[in-house]
Amino acid sequence: MTKVLIIEDEELVRENLLELLDAEGFDVITAENGLVGSRLAQEQIPDLILCDVMMPEMDGYAVLEWLRQNPETATIPFIFLTAKAAKSDFRQGMELGADDYLTKPFTRAELLGAINSRLKKKALIQAHHHHQISQLEEKLKYVLDHDRLTDLPNRLSLRENFTRIVGNISTTSRNNHLLIVMCLAVDRFSRINETLGHSSGDSLQKIAAQRLLDCVNSDDLVAYLSTNRFAILLTSDRYESKEFYASEFARQILDRFSKSCTINNQEVFVTASIGISFYPQNSIELESLLGQANLAMDYAASQGGNQFQFYTPAFNIQSSDRLVLETDLRYALAREELIVYYQPRLSLKTGEIVGAEALVRWLHPKRGLISPSKFIPIAEESGEIFPIGEWVWRTACRQVASWNLLRAEPCQIAVNLSARQFGQIDLPNHLEDILLETGLNPRYLELELTESILVQNPLLAKQKMEAIKSLGVQLAIDDFGTGYASLSYLQQFPFDILKIDRCFVHNLSDEAKNAAIAIAIVQMAHKLNFKVIAEGVETQAELDFLREHDCDEIQGYFLSHPLSAERFFQLFITEKSNNFYFD
């Protein structure tokens, strides 16, 4: 039922309008003055408002101005009822955003005609808006399911197809079903990338993608995992032997890759390394199968490349160097070798530093600075991620709490949350204890979750996220668009912030595809009431593009590398030159 709000101080007029509209089947709400009417509009969100101009306490112009400034009521059709017929009065109302005027006295037909006209226009606008949203969703869904460079399905699409295929396999026929997972990389890709340039590396990946597509059947799937990492899912049952079929197929690929290709007018010869695992022989989980195929592929590459290898458990044996590194990591906290660095975040609205992301670094006494990409996976596997993560939370929270005592505008701090940390049963209570201990207001803490955390157990993940949010902490989805995330995840989970991965930010001003993706993500995120932060901003052109298209915040090397606590304090707390002036 269409809800109409009548704001009219004359009781007789108000009652007549109520009786007339009630007889026409409208759900009518009335208010005796502008102040009450404004409150009811905010609470009830009517479909249309009829409002007198001249009223005590708050006249119609003030009501309209207030409603148009409020996002929830800004688009409600608004019709003025007035005894004033001067053009200047009409102009004043229309400039404030009125949709129509009815001059008293008016007939029943005039009133219903004006109402029906406004409601039809609103319906057309909403239909057009929904159509735009639908188009944007379809566009973004395709973007999130495909790699921007090769246009191949990405890891999310691979997982969805794998789940669909496996779901159609009965338990009794599982052992007889043919499902082969392959991982492939171009040999010596890094040398080509460094010698001929990154654009040549991109061209080579496109060529590799096309050569793989030329080899597969319509029922098979080629996916792009990451730089120079491809996956192939074979479902054909034309051969009884998995090993024979996989070997024949791998040789076909190697033969195709042995042909020369031309990159930037230069002839290049490349080879490939392939790793192979089998469902369900090696595993029934996609991630395990991919990991096993990757191990086999790495071994093939270490043996000179241009060959394929089947996975065997022997590939899981850890190297002696990794074991030594794992042992050293167990003592890193006690020896005070870990450091928290802070990468600043810039507001594109104000030009001011508004927060930072806390990043852990390991300064090894013999090896020097060790990359997080090397020691964090070891910490995850060994369980050291729990004491290390807790130390990072506590250190960052205590540091920012002390900064916020000295700064008029408080600093936000973002801290990464790994899958194993998120899996802790008492995580919300643990976070609450750290916040109480460090004195940091929960509203200034953001926890960043990667997309892979959500797919393990969506229901449990949502419950835990809601428990964390009840503390007042904000939640961000990190590296959006590079893994598993889909639009349904954005709507299903209680996120506050969406972080656009750096791969969509790179060279925005020159790459039309990246620009379209970034714009679509920002628009969709804002429609879902998320704050949007872009990672990996490295140029003024990228900053200007993101600011022009209403991205909220950025971080990246253009603004600053990650800084020590002392340097962050010096540059962005004590110094006055912490405002980026925009032309």
Side-chain angles (χ1 to χ4, degrees):
M1 184 179 294
T2 302
K3 185 184 298 183
V4 177
L5 171 61
I6 300 170
I7 307 175
E8 170 64 63
D9 62 322
E10 293 186 29
E11 184 177 0
L12 181 60
V13 175
R14 191 168 64 247
E15 293 299 324
N16 286 338
L17 288 171
L18 171 61
E19 183 178 352
L20 189 155
L21 295 180
D22 186 61
E24 293 293 329
F26 291 101
D27 179 13
V28 184
I29 313 165
T30 63
E32 63 273 16
N33 59 55
L35 200 59
V36 175
S38 299
R39 177 176 57 78
L40 285 175
Q42 176 71 25
E43 294 174 354
Q44 301 287 334
I45 311 296
D47 298 298
L48 182 137
I49 297 174
L50 299 171
C51 183
D52 190 19
V53 173
M54 303 304 295
M55 294 182 293
E57 297 190 50
M58 189 177 185
D59 65 18
Y61 296 133
V63 171
L64 177 58
E65 184 174 14
W66 185 85
L67 293 177
R68 289 298 184 249
Q69 292 175 355
N70 189 321
E72 295 182 353
T73 58
T75 60
I76 298 176
F78 193 100
I79 301 176
F80 270 128
L81 309 176
T82 180
K84 303 172 68 175
K87 290 184 178 180
S88 60
D89 296 321
F90 286 7
R91 187 180 305 112
Q92 181 180 358
M94 300 307 274
E95 287 175 353
L96 289 172
D99 294 282
D100 206 345
Y101 259 88
L102 284 175
T103 305
K104 300 175 182 177
F106 46 79
T107 66
R108 174 180 176 277
E110 289 173 335
L111 174 63
L112 295 178
I115 291 175
N116 289 331
S117 175
R118 291 304 108 193
L119 291 176
K120 286 180 181 179
K121 183 176 180 180
K122 178 183 178 182
L124 288 173
I125 292 173
Q126 287 179 335
H128 179 66
H129 177 71
H130 290 316
H131 179 66
Q132 287 181 318
I133 292 292
S134 177
Q135 287 183 322
L136 191 58
E137 286 181 342
E138 290 178 6
K139 180 179 180 181
L140 191 53
K141 179 68 169 64
Y142 183 85
V143 164
L144 296 177
D145 281 346
H146 290 77
D147 168 58
R148 64 182 182 84
L149 176 65
T150 63
D151 207 34
L152 288 177
N154 59 15
R155 187 181 290 264
L156 170 64
S157 185
L158 176 65
R159 184 183 183 87
E160 289 176 344
N161 278 276
F162 179 84
T163 302
R164 173 181 55 79
I165 293 169
V166 171
N168 292 330
I169 301 174
S170 66
T171 304
T172 55
S173 64
R174 176 180 291 171
N175 291 330
N176 299 321
H177 195 87
L178 180 63
L179 200 58
I180 303 170
V181 174
M182 291 186 172
C183 284
L184 177 144
V186 176
D187 295 328
R188 291 168 288 280
F189 174 80
S190 59
R191 180 187 297 177
I192 296 172
N193 213 27
E194 293 167 3
T195 303
L196 301 182
H198 291 288
S199 62
S200 296
D202 289 347
S203 298
L204 180 56
Q205 291 189 89
K206 292 178 182 178
I207 292 171
Q210 187 56 55
R211 289 185 173 182
L212 290 175
L213 288 173
D214 291 340
C215 293
V216 299
N217 299 315
S218 59
D219 294 334
D220 303 325
L221 180 70
V222 178
Y224 181 88
L225 300 179
S226 61
T227 302
N228 194 33
R229 287 289 189 273
F230 299 87
I232 307 165
L233 185 63
L234 301 178
T235 62
S236 175
D237 56 358
R238 75 175 59 176
Y239 294 104
E240 294 182 2
S241 168
K242 293 181 181 180
E243 288 78 8
F244 180 77
Y245 179 54
S247 298
E248 289 297 301
F249 187 84
R251 289 190 181 97
Q252 179 186 350
I253 293 176
L254 294 177
D255 181 65
R256 183 65 62 93
F257 270 76
S258 67
K259 305 290 191 299
S260 68
C261 58
T262 302
I263 302 176
N264 292 339
N265 298 319
Q266 181 169 342
E267 188 177 22
V268 176
F269 286 88
V270 297
T271 56
S273 295
I274 302 172
I276 305 169
S277 61
F278 297 107
Y279 169 96
Q281 177 181 325
N282 298 129
S283 178
I284 61 172
E285 299 293 335
L286 176 62
E287 291 308 310
S288 295
L289 291 165
L290 288 174
Q292 293 162 351
N294 259 302
L295 285 173
M297 179 189 70
D298 289 340
Y299 182 78
S302 71
Q303 299 303 301
N306 195 28
Q307 60 182 280
F308 63 88
Q309 289 286 340
F310 294 110
Y311 166 78
T312 71
F315 293 142
N316 286 325
I317 300 174
Q318 300 291 327
S319 68
S320 59
D321 181 67
R322 182 182 175 90
L323 291 174
V324 170
L325 201 61
E326 180 180 334
T327 302
D328 288 348
L329 185 58
R330 292 185 182 275
Y331 295 102
L333 267 179
R335 294 170 178 170
E336 298 183 347
E337 296 170 3
L338 298 181
I339 310 167
V340 176
Y341 274 58
Y342 300 86
Q343 184 164 39
R345 289 199 336 224
L346 176 75
S347 168
L348 295 182
K349 310 298 182 184
T350 65
E352 294 181 346
I353 300 302
V354 293
E357 180 178 354
L359 302 168
V360 65
R361 297 290 185 264
W362 183 11
L363 187 59
H364 193 280
K366 294 181 180 179
R367 302 173 184 242
L369 201 63
I370 299 178
S371 169
S373 63
K374 189 170 185 179
F375 74 83
I376 290 297
I378 297 176
E380 288 273 2
E381 292 179 15
S382 65
E384 287 299 303
I385 194 66
F386 297 118
I388 290 174
E390 181 179 335
W391 177 81
V392 171
W393 295 343
R394 184 173 283 104
T395 301
C397 289
R398 183 180 291 113
Q399 185 68 78
V400 173
S402 67
W403 288 339
N404 286 350
L405 293 175
L406 304 173
R407 179 174 171 146
E409 293 297 327
C411 179
Q412 295 284 136
I413 186 66
V415 183
N416 290 288
L417 190 65
S418 73
R420 291 201 66 180
Q421 289 172 292
F422 187 75
Q424 291 176 271
I425 297 176
D426 60 345
L427 178 62
N429 294 333
H430 200 47
L431 282 171
E432 185 175 21
D433 291 341
I434 290 176
L435 289 167
L436 290 173
E437 176 189 331
T438 60
L440 179 66
N441 188 322
R443 65 186 296 188
Y444 302 127
L445 174 63
E446 301 168 7
L447 294 181
E448 297 186 358
L449 284 68
T450 57
E451 302 169 12
S452 59
I453 292 176
L454 309 177
V455 301
Q456 304 301 324
N457 189 327
L459 180 60
L460 183 61
K462 183 179 180 181
Q463 292 174 346
K464 188 166 291 187
M465 290 168 69
E466 289 173 345
I468 293 172
K469 281 183 64 69
S470 69
L471 301 176
V473 175
Q474 292 192 308
L475 295 175
I477 183 167
D478 197 14
D479 300 333
F480 180 74
T482 62
Y484 302 102
S486 64
L487 296 176
S488 63
Y489 282 150
L490 295 185
Q491 296 170 330
Q492 180 180 352
F493 296 100
F495 287 110
D496 305 286
I497 301 164
L498 183 149
K499 298 192 74 174
I500 304 176
D501 185 74
R502 66 186 71 240
C503 71
F504 299 125
V505 173
H506 177 64
N507 208 15
L508 277 172
S509 57
D510 296 326
E511 292 192 13
K513 183 179 289 188
N514 274 12
I517 293 171
I519 293 172
I521 291 176
V522 171
Q523 290 177 346
M524 180 59 66
H526 282 165
K527 290 183 185 299
L528 296 173
N529 296 319
F530 296 147
K531 180 167 69 176
V532 184
I533 302 172
E535 300 178 291
V537 176
E538 297 182 356
T539 67
Q540 180 71 50
E542 291 168 358
L543 184 151
D544 292 340
F545 181 95
L546 291 163
R547 180 166 55 90
E548 179 184 350
H549 291 90
D550 297 324
C551 183
D552 299 298
E553 297 178 16
I554 65 159
Q555 66 184 71
Y557 289 169
F558 178 73
L559 174 61
S560 172
H561 284 67
L563 303 171
S564 66
E566 295 77 12
R567 187 63 176 148
F568 186 92
F569 183 86
Q570 178 185 354
L571 287 180
F572 302 112
I573 305 296
T574 61
E575 292 187 6
K576 300 298 183 183
S577 57
N578 63 343
N579 188 285
F580 279 62
Y581 293 99
F582 298 133
D583 295 331

